[in-house]
Amino acid sequence: MPFTARKIADMFYPQQVLPKASIPALVKEVLLYSQTDLEKIRAIWIWICHHIEYDVKGYHSKDLKGKTPEEALMTGKAVCSGYSGLFCEMCSIAGIKCTAIGGYSKGYNYEIGKTFKGDPDHDWNAVYLEGKWHLLDTTWGAGHVNENCSKFTFKYVEFYFFTHPTLFINNHFPMDENWQLISPRISIKAFENMVFRTGEFFNIGLTYIHPDVQVVNTVNGRAIINMGGNSPTLFMYNLDGRKDCALINLTTYGMKLEVLPPKVGEYKLKIYAKLLNTDEKMYSFICAYMIKCNEVDDSFKMPKAVHNPLGPSWYTEIKGIIEPSHPEPLIYCSDGQCSIKFFLDKELSFTSKLTCDELDIPDDVMRNHVFKTQKDNSVEFKIQLPSSGLYVFTIFSKEKSSRSSTFSHLCEYLISCTNEDVHLATFPKVYTSWTEECELFEPLSGILPPNTVVAFKFKIPHVKKVQVYGKEGCPLTLSSDGYWEGTCNTLDAKNLNIGVSEKISDTKYTFALQYDVASK
């Protein structure tokens, strides 16, 4: 049946109903526009999830825990037994077959590695509709508490309404195993070993997670977590409160998380996520693991400047760079040289930064180890490393039409070079006359040998004259295929400057590049 405006209004009506003096009076008004049993169940669920607050004081007090349905309605507060009791009472008045189920749960204050024994710690419900039982949890549908259960936040979670039993069992284990509603049934031990996922994991559309056990042992000092879903999603993590021990690489609607604990031991890993297209500013807690590290990878030290997520992804495509030459976030270059290229889907300007924790090189010098070429609908970053090491290469961008001088973080790579013989020079220094569409072919090194005739080749459009300034001026000639070419001797010169002029008759040149000449 199509959703008319009236029907949609009726669906939202229950949450607008104010509390009444009695449960029968409340049910009568909540079900005013409900016709089928499903609509009645749904209306009762919606009302409770939007009007009953979790009683954090009651949770910590035995005297306040066991509220009756009437008390839950009068105070507007309840613990899980109050939620399930009120739901059962309202369903009974509505003529719906309903039961309360007690069991063990993995809630927001669940401790990874906990074993369950003794009395149940949670209550939820099942309703009978169209010949079968359906599971739901109004407590968790209403919102969540913080880790020490001192504050409740209303945040509606649709996932816990008529949840499929194979998903519900992830964090609800009934004392009566018949209420698992799955075949074959699982043991309490299997329940304890399942990875802990909150309702938000499913609520934001995530469907896959690996490993699917809660305790993960590192291999060669690393633990890999993969997950995926149905929509573009962003992720964060903390490892015992630290946020500098893992690398995030976004995949199609998911991510790969590589955890590198800083030392041997046990760690609690918490993962958070949020949908890209949402008004939510906060990331939601979605799952947790226990990471057991038996050895540390001493060959890899996490850079201080690393910024997750790493590498190109659907997220950088949205920002305007596509078809990366290096789709993986880690680049290995044995000779100390690499070239990173993107095609552009937007009109962007770029800047970049190269850092290495192992080197004490000033930023202005390190900046010249990167040379950017931007032309047509592409951008290329050539990199020459000063020595072996692990580098962080960060690309920043802004739209050309923007009046702001601020460049935003766009993409980040790790560049690894283990060849200790690598000691590459900087590129030539760039001045304002070296504009977009200019291309450098030779020489690439910014430091030239002394007393040597050096060949030059550039593509510099929109200029009429190009000259190399050393001890003497050396004009370059424009070839038929558009290259400025020529030679110049470095004899007795400290540096060579590349000057350009936009007019044939102009005797003044502005500098585009500068090369240093090595001492004898």
Side-chain angles (χ1 to χ4, degrees):
M1 182 174 64
F3 285 103
T4 63
R6 176 70 262 176
K7 193 68 178 176
I8 293 173
D10 293 349
M11 291 168 62
F12 288 96
Y13 169 76
Q15 71 187 72
Q16 301 169 14
V17 175
L18 298 176
K20 305 301 175 185
S22 70
I23 296 177
L26 174 63
V27 171
K28 182 179 180 180
E29 186 159 349
V30 167
L31 303 186
L32 186 60
Y33 297 106
S34 300
Q35 298 176 349
T36 67
D37 284 352
L38 176 58
E39 290 175 352
K40 293 175 183 178
I41 296 168
R42 180 77 179 171
I44 294 170
W45 152 271
I46 288 291
W47 191 90
I48 292 177
C49 287
H50 287 86
H51 288 86
I52 303 300
E53 175 183 349
Y54 191 83
D55 189 355
V56 293
K57 290 184 178 179
Y59 172 81
H60 293 287
S61 171
K62 291 183 179 179
D63 296 333
L64 298 175
K65 269 190 177 182
K67 284 185 176 178
T68 65
E70 289 76 16
E71 289 172 327
L73 175 60
M74 288 176 59
T75 62
K77 294 183 179 181
V79 293
C80 55
S81 59
Y83 277 92
S84 63
L86 179 58
F87 185 83
C88 262
E89 181 70 15
M90 293 179 72
C91 282
S92 176
I93 294 171
I96 304 295
K97 189 176 181 180
C98 176
T99 186
I101 302 170
Y104 300 127
S105 67
K106 296 180 180 180
Y108 267 74
N109 58 349
Y110 167 71
E111 289 291 331
I112 302 296
K114 176 183 177 180
T115 57
F116 294 93
K117 56 186 177 180
D119 295 333
D121 60 21
H122 190 50
D123 288 315
W124 56 93
N125 296 100
V127 293
Y128 194 75
L129 179 68
E130 297 178 351
K132 62 185 294 187
W133 288 96
H134 301 269
L135 299 168
L136 51 86
D137 188 337
T138 49
T139 309
W140 291 6
H144 59 80
V145 295
N146 56 0
E147 292 186 18
N148 62 4
C149 198
S150 61
K151 181 182 178 182
F152 172 77
T153 302
F154 272 111
K155 185 177 182 182
Y156 177 70
V157 182
E158 172 69 21
F159 174 72
Y160 289 111
F161 180 79
F162 279 27
T163 314
H164 195 281
T166 56
L167 299 178
F168 205 73
I169 194 65
N170 176 73
N171 43 29
H172 292 75
F173 188 88
M175 302 302 284
D176 181 350
E177 293 184 2
N178 289 316
W179 285 113
Q180 291 185 21
L181 302 184
I182 58 176
S183 180
R185 296 168 189 160
I186 70 167
S187 66
I188 186 66
K189 187 67 176 176
F191 174 72
E192 291 171 347
N193 289 338
M194 284 181 172
V195 61
F196 172 43
R197 286 172 284 185
T198 70
E200 283 298 317
F201 178 92
F202 302 99
N203 215 41
I204 65 176
L206 293 169
T207 57
Y208 168 79
I209 188 168
H210 183 81
D212 58 1
V213 293
Q214 66 171 329
V215 179
V216 179
N217 292 290
T218 59
V219 177
N220 298 325
R222 300 163 184 250
I224 307 295
I225 311 295
N226 288 285
M227 59 182 66
N230 300 319
S231 302
T233 306
L234 300 173
F235 298 87
M236 293 176 60
Y237 77 94
N238 76 58
L239 188 72
D240 277 356
R242 296 184 59 163
K243 299 179 181 180
D244 58 352
C245 305
L247 304 174
I248 296 176
N249 178 212
L250 293 178
T251 56
T252 303
Y253 300 159
M255 70 138 182
K256 174 185 175 183
L257 177 67
E258 188 170 357
V259 184
L260 297 101
K263 58 184 180 180
V264 171
E266 293 185 353
Y267 298 84
K268 293 178 182 177
L269 171 67
K270 292 190 174 183
I271 301 175
Y272 306 81
K274 73 171 183 176
L275 291 172
L276 176 68
N277 299 317
T278 179
D279 294 330
E280 290 282 345
K281 294 182 179 180
M282 301 293 291
Y283 284 70
S284 297
F285 174 39
I286 59 168
C287 66
Y289 286 92
M290 173 72 75
I291 305 294
K292 289 188 176 181
C293 180
N294 300 313
E295 61 175 325
V296 175
D297 182 3
D298 293 324
S299 66
F300 184 92
K301 187 176 181 181
M302 184 74 71
K304 296 177 183 177
V306 72
H307 181 285
N308 282 308
L310 287 174
S313 66
W314 55 263
Y315 188 64
T316 53
E317 287 184 359
I318 290 174
K319 298 291 185 179
I321 57 173
I322 58 176
E323 299 180 36
S325 59
H326 294 73
E328 295 298 320
L330 182 56
I331 299 173
Y332 295 94
C333 53
S334 58
D335 61 357
Q337 301 180 80
C338 66
S339 173
I340 301 171
K341 185 175 180 178
F342 300 92
F343 286 95
L344 306 182
D345 201 29
K346 293 182 179 180
E347 292 287 326
L348 299 173
S349 296
F350 298 92
T351 185
S352 64
K353 186 173 184 180
L354 183 68
T355 61
C356 179
D357 293 344
E358 304 158 37
L359 302 178
D360 186 18
I361 298 178
D363 287 347
D364 60 335
V365 176
M366 191 69 92
R367 188 180 302 118
N368 290 324
H369 282 276
V370 180
F371 196 90
K372 174 178 69 75
T373 300
Q374 188 170 350
K375 61 175 184 173
D376 301 327
N377 63 336
S378 68
V379 63
E380 180 184 22
F381 299 91
K382 289 187 174 73
I383 298 171
Q384 297 185 157
L385 301 178
S387 69
S388 61
L390 182 64
Y391 294 77
V392 177
F393 179 60
T394 310
I395 303 170
F396 304 88
S397 71
K398 70 171 185 175
E399 294 193 9
K400 287 184 178 180
S401 59
S402 173
R403 295 182 179 180
S404 172
S405 60
T406 302
F407 287 78
S408 300
H409 184 281
L410 176 63
C411 185
E412 193 154 295
Y413 283 95
L414 294 182
I415 301 175
S416 176
C417 178
T418 58
N419 185 353
E420 295 183 358
D421 293 329
V422 166
H423 297 287
L424 298 180
T426 60
F427 290 99
K429 295 176 183 176
V430 175
Y431 294 106
T432 54
S433 291
W434 186 267
T435 60
E436 289 184 14
E437 307 299 327
C438 293
E439 295 180 67
L440 168 64
F441 291 91
E442 62 174 342
L444 292 179
S445 175
I447 301 178
L448 305 178
N451 301 334
T452 303
V453 176
V454 178
F456 293 87
K457 182 179 179 180
F458 311 107
K459 182 169 280 188
I460 309 176
H462 314 306
V463 299
K464 299 299 183 181
K465 294 191 293 184
V466 178
Q467 181 162 294
V468 181
Y469 283 90
K471 186 176 181 181
E472 297 179 355
C474 303
L476 303 184
T477 58
L478 183 62
S479 67
S480 59
D481 50 359
Y483 298 102
W484 290 97
E485 298 177 276
T487 61
C488 190
N489 199 321
T490 61
L491 179 66
D492 295 334
K494 290 184 177 180
N495 50 60
L496 297 184
N497 292 288
I498 311 303
V500 299
S501 175
E502 295 182 358
K503 297 179 180 179
I504 290 289
S505 59
D506 203 338
T507 58
K508 293 182 180 180
Y509 288 77
T510 57
F511 288 162
L513 298 174
Q514 183 184 78
Y515 290 86
D516 292 329
V517 177
S519 57
K520 298 178 183 179

